[in-house]
Amino acid sequence: MNFHIMTLFPEMVTECLSSSIIGRAKEKGLISLNAVNIRDYSNDTKHHKVDDYTYGGGAGMLMQAQPIYDCYIDIKNKISAANGKAPRVIYVTPQGKVFNQSIVTELAQEENLVFLCGHYEGVDERVLEEIVTDYISIGDYVLTGGELPAMVMIDAISRFVPGVLNNNESAMTDSFHNNLLEYPQYSRPEEWMGKKVPPILLSGDHKKVDEWRLEQSIIRTKERRPDLYEAWLAENPPVEKKKKRRKKEVSEDNGGEK
Ligand code: ADE
């Protein structure tokens, strides 16, 4: 997976994503990070200016279309020279749809992803119309720039690139898999500050441990994220309901006969 980040602060991205699991994935060649400075594409050879006043008035400066467009075309041409298809271009913005695990797994299927990081008061709408395929936010709050949101997304997506996580760090058993939060976990010692590890986890009975974990996941999700719990419930109706639904389907198959 190749990440291309269009930014005014490339060092912010490369420095932040150089350690731990993502740094290791980069060293192993499982992912690549191509942080490109939009300023290098400015037509203003003297000051490398990339922003200007907003038509119609208003506070603050806007990032201009031309340097962003030229930067994108350069990235796209390099991808195409390496036989890649035109990439999805994500504009990270509080005006986008809110990032979640299903967007993560969808984007993880791509070979190349381009991120556009905005600054100042935003970006000239015309270049967004021209190049952006996805508008994505990391939550309903406003940050000073798009680098942190882009890094959040790159981190989450990289976890789904084969080989990035080892077996102990499996992406599939985490919180949000199947709309359930992860169950509580414990390590040594067996007792700490008078709190004991739940005895079932010491029993060695894997079936019982799995049942307990699922039950804890459900309780935790219901308590902390009722929205996710409802989604899980819709996918996993209680057994009684399932039986009734099956009965109804059989009756319908028989032309409504009871
Ligand atoms: N840029 C500024 N705030 C943002 C947010 N919440 N999500 C994505 N990009 C942003």
Side-chain angles (χ1 to χ4, degrees), residues 107-144:
L107 293 177
Q109 309 306 313
E110 299 291 322
E111 186 68 21
N112 289 281
L113 283 174
V114 178
F115 290 85
L116 169 60
C117 305
H119 262 271
Y120 314 121
E121 286 306 302
V123 173
D124 189 311
E125 192 67 23
R126 292 167 295 183
V127 70
L128 299 178
E129 287 168 8
E130 206 55 44
I131 69 170
V132 171
T133 59
D134 302 83
Y135 294 80
I136 309 184
S137 164
I138 58 161
D140 292 337
Y141 44 83
V142 181
L143 300 167
T144 54

Short mmCIF file of all heavy atoms in Angstrom, two decimals, residues 107-144:
data_model
loop_
_atom_site.label_atom_id
_atom_site.label_comp_id
_atom_site.label_asym_id
_atom_site.label_seq_id
_atom_site.Cartn_x
_atom_site.Cartn_y
_atom_site.Cartn_z
N LEU A 107 -10.91 1.15 2.33
CA LEU A 107 -9.73 1.84 1.78
C LEU A 107 -8.49 0.94 1.78
O LEU A 107 -7.59 1.12 0.96
CB LEU A 107 -9.46 3.14 2.56
CG LEU A 107 -10.52 4.23 2.41
CD1 LEU A 107 -10.18 5.44 3.28
CD2 LEU A 107 -10.67 4.68 0.95
N ALA A 108 -8.46 -0.02 2.71
CA ALA A 108 -7.30 -0.91 2.79
C ALA A 108 -7.16 -1.79 1.55
O ALA A 108 -6.12 -2.40 1.33
CB ALA A 108 -7.38 -1.76 4.06
N GLN A 109 -8.22 -1.87 0.74
CA GLN A 109 -8.15 -2.68 -0.49
C GLN A 109 -7.38 -1.97 -1.61
O GLN A 109 -7.02 -2.57 -2.61
CB GLN A 109 -9.57 -2.97 -1.04
CG GLN A 109 -10.56 -3.53 -0.05
CD GLN A 109 -10.04 -4.75 0.64
OE1 GLN A 109 -9.51 -5.65 -0.01
NE2 GLN A 109 -10.14 -4.78 1.96
N GLU A 110 -7.17 -0.66 -1.47
CA GLU A 110 -6.53 0.12 -2.54
C GLU A 110 -5.02 -0.09 -2.58
O GLU A 110 -4.40 -0.39 -1.55
CB GLU A 110 -6.79 1.63 -2.33
CG GLU A 110 -8.26 2.00 -2.34
CD GLU A 110 -8.90 1.86 -3.71
OE1 GLU A 110 -8.25 2.18 -4.72
OE2 GLU A 110 -10.07 1.42 -3.76
N GLU A 111 -4.47 0.10 -3.76
CA GLU A 111 -3.01 -0.02 -3.94
C GLU A 111 -2.32 1.31 -3.59
O GLU A 111 -1.26 1.35 -2.99
CB GLU A 111 -2.75 -0.38 -5.41
CG GLU A 111 -1.32 -0.69 -5.76
CD GLU A 111 -0.83 -1.99 -5.13
OE1 GLU A 111 -1.63 -2.86 -4.76
OE2 GLU A 111 0.38 -2.08 -5.00
N ASN A 112 -2.99 2.41 -4.00
CA ASN A 112 -2.47 3.77 -3.74
C ASN A 112 -3.59 4.62 -3.16
O ASN A 112 -4.73 4.51 -3.60
CB ASN A 112 -2.03 4.43 -5.06
CG ASN A 112 -0.76 3.80 -5.59
OD1 ASN A 112 0.33 4.10 -5.11
ND2 ASN A 112 -0.90 2.93 -6.58
N LEU A 113 -3.25 5.46 -2.18
CA LEU A 113 -4.23 6.42 -1.66
C LEU A 113 -3.55 7.78 -1.57
O LEU A 113 -2.41 7.89 -1.11
CB LEU A 113 -4.69 6.02 -0.26
CG LEU A 113 -5.72 4.88 -0.16
CD1 LEU A 113 -5.94 4.51 1.29
CD2 LEU A 113 -7.04 5.25 -0.84
N VAL A 114 -4.27 8.82 -2.02
CA VAL A 114 -3.73 10.17 -1.94
C VAL A 114 -4.54 10.94 -0.89
O VAL A 114 -5.77 10.89 -0.90
CB VAL A 114 -3.82 10.88 -3.30
CG1 VAL A 114 -3.30 12.31 -3.20
CG2 VAL A 114 -3.04 10.11 -4.37
N PHE A 115 -3.84 11.62 0.00
CA PHE A 115 -4.49 12.46 1.01
C PHE A 115 -4.15 13.92 0.74
O PHE A 115 -2.98 14.25 0.51
CB PHE A 115 -4.00 12.11 2.42
CG PHE A 115 -4.49 10.77 2.88
CD1 PHE A 115 -3.80 9.62 2.56
CD2 PHE A 115 -5.65 10.67 3.63
CE1 PHE A 115 -4.25 8.37 2.97
CE2 PHE A 115 -6.12 9.42 4.05
CZ PHE A 115 -5.41 8.27 3.71
N LEU A 116 -5.16 14.77 0.78
CA LEU A 116 -4.93 16.20 0.66
C LEU A 116 -5.18 16.83 2.03
O LEU A 116 -6.27 16.71 2.60
CB LEU A 116 -5.88 16.81 -0.39
CG LEU A 116 -5.93 18.34 -0.44
CD1 LEU A 116 -4.56 18.93 -0.74
CD2 LEU A 116 -6.95 18.82 -1.49
N CYS A 117 -4.12 17.47 2.57
CA CYS A 117 -4.21 18.10 3.88
C CYS A 117 -4.39 19.61 3.71
O CYS A 117 -3.50 20.27 3.17
CB CYS A 117 -2.95 17.85 4.70
SG CYS A 117 -2.55 16.11 4.85
N GLY A 118 -5.50 20.12 4.17
CA GLY A 118 -5.78 21.55 4.05
C GLY A 118 -5.16 22.34 5.20
O GLY A 118 -4.77 21.77 6.22
N HIS A 119 -5.06 23.64 4.99
CA HIS A 119 -4.61 24.56 6.05
C HIS A 119 -5.29 25.90 5.86
O HIS A 119 -6.05 26.08 4.90
CB HIS A 119 -3.09 24.73 6.01
CG HIS A 119 -2.42 23.86 7.02
ND1 HIS A 119 -2.18 24.26 8.31
CD2 HIS A 119 -2.00 22.59 6.92
CE1 HIS A 119 -1.61 23.26 8.96
NE2 HIS A 119 -1.48 22.23 8.14
N TYR A 120 -5.00 26.85 6.70
CA TYR A 120 -5.65 28.17 6.65
C TYR A 120 -7.16 27.98 6.72
O TYR A 120 -7.66 27.14 7.44
CB TYR A 120 -5.21 28.96 5.41
CG TYR A 120 -3.71 28.92 5.17
CD1 TYR A 120 -3.18 28.42 4.01
CD2 TYR A 120 -2.83 29.38 6.18
CE1 TYR A 120 -1.81 28.38 3.80
CE2 TYR A 120 -1.47 29.35 5.97
CZ TYR A 120 -0.96 28.84 4.79
OH TYR A 120 0.38 28.79 4.61
N GLU A 121 -7.87 28.74 5.89
CA GLU A 121 -9.34 28.69 5.96
C GLU A 121 -9.93 27.63 5.04
O GLU A 121 -11.13 27.51 4.90
CB GLU A 121 -9.93 30.06 5.62
CG GLU A 121 -9.75 31.09 6.73
CD GLU A 121 -10.30 30.60 8.07
OE1 GLU A 121 -11.49 30.27 8.13
OE2 GLU A 121 -9.52 30.55 9.04
N GLY A 122 -9.08 26.89 4.35
CA GLY A 122 -9.60 25.85 3.46
C GLY A 122 -8.94 25.89 2.10
O GLY A 122 -7.84 26.43 1.94
N VAL A 123 -9.61 25.30 1.11
CA VAL A 123 -9.03 25.10 -0.22
C VAL A 123 -10.01 25.61 -1.27
O VAL A 123 -11.23 25.45 -1.11
CB VAL A 123 -8.76 23.58 -0.42
CG1 VAL A 123 -8.31 23.29 -1.84
CG2 VAL A 123 -7.74 23.07 0.59
N ASP A 124 -9.51 26.20 -2.33
CA ASP A 124 -10.35 26.65 -3.45
C ASP A 124 -11.20 25.47 -3.95
O ASP A 124 -10.68 24.41 -4.29
CB ASP A 124 -9.43 27.17 -4.58
CG ASP A 124 -10.20 27.86 -5.69
OD1 ASP A 124 -11.19 27.28 -6.17
OD2 ASP A 124 -9.79 28.97 -6.07
N GLU A 125 -12.50 25.69 -3.96
CA GLU A 125 -13.46 24.63 -4.27
C GLU A 125 -13.19 23.97 -5.63
O GLU A 125 -13.43 22.78 -5.82
CB GLU A 125 -14.88 25.22 -4.25
CG GLU A 125 -16.00 24.21 -4.26
CD GLU A 125 -16.08 23.36 -2.99
OE1 GLU A 125 -15.59 23.79 -1.93
OE2 GLU A 125 -16.63 22.25 -3.07
N ARG A 126 -12.67 24.75 -6.60
CA ARG A 126 -12.54 24.22 -7.96
C ARG A 126 -11.56 23.06 -8.06
O ARG A 126 -11.79 22.12 -8.81
CB ARG A 126 -12.13 25.36 -8.91
CG ARG A 126 -13.24 26.39 -9.09
CD ARG A 126 -12.74 27.63 -9.74
NE ARG A 126 -11.75 28.34 -8.92
CZ ARG A 126 -11.20 29.50 -9.27
NH1 ARG A 126 -11.52 30.08 -10.40
NH2 ARG A 126 -10.32 30.09 -8.47
N VAL A 127 -10.49 23.12 -7.25
CA VAL A 127 -9.54 22.00 -7.34
C VAL A 127 -10.11 20.77 -6.62
O VAL A 127 -9.86 19.63 -7.02
CB VAL A 127 -8.13 22.39 -6.80
CG1 VAL A 127 -8.12 22.58 -5.30
CG2 VAL A 127 -7.09 21.34 -7.21
N LEU A 128 -10.92 21.03 -5.60
CA LEU A 128 -11.56 19.89 -4.92
C LEU A 128 -12.48 19.17 -5.90
O LEU A 128 -12.46 17.94 -6.01
CB LEU A 128 -12.35 20.37 -3.69
CG LEU A 128 -11.54 21.08 -2.60
CD1 LEU A 128 -12.45 21.55 -1.47
CD2 LEU A 128 -10.46 20.15 -2.04
N GLU A 129 -13.28 19.95 -6.64
CA GLU A 129 -14.19 19.35 -7.63
C GLU A 129 -13.41 18.55 -8.67
O GLU A 129 -13.88 17.53 -9.17
CB GLU A 129 -14.97 20.46 -8.35
CG GLU A 129 -16.04 21.10 -7.48
CD GLU A 129 -16.60 22.38 -8.11
OE1 GLU A 129 -16.28 22.69 -9.28
OE2 GLU A 129 -17.34 23.07 -7.41
N GLU A 130 -12.24 19.01 -8.98
CA GLU A 130 -11.45 18.41 -10.05
C GLU A 130 -10.77 17.10 -9.63
O GLU A 130 -10.67 16.18 -10.43
CB GLU A 130 -10.39 19.43 -10.47
CG GLU A 130 -9.88 19.33 -11.87
CD GLU A 130 -10.97 19.38 -12.93
OE1 GLU A 130 -11.89 20.20 -12.84
OE2 GLU A 130 -10.88 18.54 -13.85
N ILE A 131 -10.30 17.01 -8.38
CA ILE A 131 -9.45 15.85 -8.05
C ILE A 131 -9.97 14.95 -6.92
O ILE A 131 -9.58 13.78 -6.83
CB ILE A 131 -8.00 16.29 -7.69
CG1 ILE A 131 -7.95 17.04 -6.35
CG2 ILE A 131 -7.37 17.12 -8.80
CD1 ILE A 131 -6.51 17.27 -5.83
N VAL A 132 -10.83 15.48 -6.05
CA VAL A 132 -11.19 14.71 -4.83
C VAL A 132 -12.26 13.66 -5.12
O VAL A 132 -13.24 13.92 -5.80
CB VAL A 132 -11.65 15.68 -3.71
CG1 VAL A 132 -12.22 14.91 -2.52
CG2 VAL A 132 -10.50 16.56 -3.26
N THR A 133 -12.04 12.44 -4.60
CA THR A 133 -13.04 11.38 -4.73
C THR A 133 -13.78 11.14 -3.42
O THR A 133 -14.90 10.65 -3.42
CB THR A 133 -12.38 10.05 -5.16
OG1 THR A 133 -11.40 9.70 -4.18
CG2 THR A 133 -11.72 10.16 -6.52
N ASP A 134 -13.14 11.44 -2.28
CA ASP A 134 -13.75 11.18 -0.97
C ASP A 134 -13.48 12.33 -0.01
O ASP A 134 -12.33 12.78 0.10
CB ASP A 134 -13.14 9.92 -0.33
CG ASP A 134 -13.30 8.68 -1.19
OD1 ASP A 134 -12.48 8.48 -2.11
OD2 ASP A 134 -14.25 7.93 -0.94
N TYR A 135 -14.52 12.77 0.68
CA TYR A 135 -14.38 13.80 1.72
C TYR A 135 -14.56 13.08 3.06
O TYR A 135 -15.62 12.53 3.33
CB TYR A 135 -15.46 14.88 1.56
CG TYR A 135 -15.31 15.69 0.29
CD1 TYR A 135 -15.75 15.19 -0.93
CD2 TYR A 135 -14.73 16.95 0.32
CE1 TYR A 135 -15.61 15.93 -2.10
CE2 TYR A 135 -14.58 17.69 -0.85
CZ TYR A 135 -15.02 17.18 -2.05
OH TYR A 135 -14.88 17.90 -3.20
N ILE A 136 -13.50 13.07 3.88
CA ILE A 136 -13.60 12.31 5.13
C ILE A 136 -13.13 13.15 6.33
O ILE A 136 -12.10 13.82 6.27
CB ILE A 136 -12.78 10.99 5.05
CG1 ILE A 136 -13.15 10.20 3.78
CG2 ILE A 136 -13.03 10.13 6.29
CD1 ILE A 136 -12.50 8.85 3.65
N SER A 137 -13.91 13.06 7.41
CA SER A 137 -13.61 13.77 8.67
C SER A 137 -13.21 12.74 9.72
O SER A 137 -13.64 11.58 9.63
CB SER A 137 -14.87 14.50 9.12
OG SER A 137 -14.77 14.88 10.46
N ILE A 138 -12.44 13.13 10.72
CA ILE A 138 -12.19 12.17 11.82
C ILE A 138 -13.08 12.45 13.02
O ILE A 138 -12.98 11.79 14.04
CB ILE A 138 -10.71 12.09 12.25
CG1 ILE A 138 -10.18 13.45 12.71
CG2 ILE A 138 -9.84 11.51 11.16
CD1 ILE A 138 -8.92 13.32 13.56
N GLY A 139 -13.98 13.41 12.92
CA GLY A 139 -14.90 13.66 14.03
C GLY A 139 -15.40 15.09 13.99
O GLY A 139 -14.86 15.93 13.26
N ASP A 140 -16.42 15.34 14.78
CA ASP A 140 -17.07 16.65 14.75
C ASP A 140 -16.36 17.68 15.62
O ASP A 140 -16.88 18.10 16.66
CB ASP A 140 -18.55 16.50 15.13
CG ASP A 140 -19.32 15.74 14.06
OD1 ASP A 140 -18.85 15.72 12.90
OD2 ASP A 140 -20.36 15.16 14.38
N TYR A 141 -15.17 18.02 15.22
CA TYR A 141 -14.39 19.08 15.84
C TYR A 141 -13.40 19.57 14.78
O TYR A 141 -13.17 18.87 13.80
CB TYR A 141 -13.63 18.57 17.09
CG TYR A 141 -12.98 17.23 16.86
CD1 TYR A 141 -11.73 17.14 16.24
CD2 TYR A 141 -13.62 16.06 17.22
CE1 TYR A 141 -11.15 15.91 16.00
CE2 TYR A 141 -13.05 14.82 16.98
CZ TYR A 141 -11.82 14.76 16.38
OH TYR A 141 -11.25 13.53 16.13
N VAL A 142 -12.85 20.75 14.99
CA VAL A 142 -12.00 21.32 13.94
C VAL A 142 -10.55 21.40 14.42
O VAL A 142 -10.26 21.95 15.48
CB VAL A 142 -12.50 22.72 13.52
CG1 VAL A 142 -11.63 23.29 12.41
CG2 VAL A 142 -13.95 22.64 13.06
N LEU A 143 -9.64 20.84 13.61
CA LEU A 143 -8.21 20.90 13.92
C LEU A 143 -7.56 22.00 13.09
O LEU A 143 -8.19 22.55 12.19
CB LEU A 143 -7.57 19.55 13.60
CG LEU A 143 -8.15 18.37 14.39
CD1 LEU A 143 -7.71 17.05 13.80
CD2 LEU A 143 -7.74 18.46 15.84
N THR A 144 -6.29 22.28 13.38
CA THR A 144 -5.62 23.39 12.68
C THR A 144 -5.19 23.01 11.25
O THR A 144 -4.89 23.87 10.45
CB THR A 144 -4.38 23.85 13.46
OG1 THR A 144 -3.56 22.69 13.68
CG2 THR A 144 -4.75 24.48 14.78
#
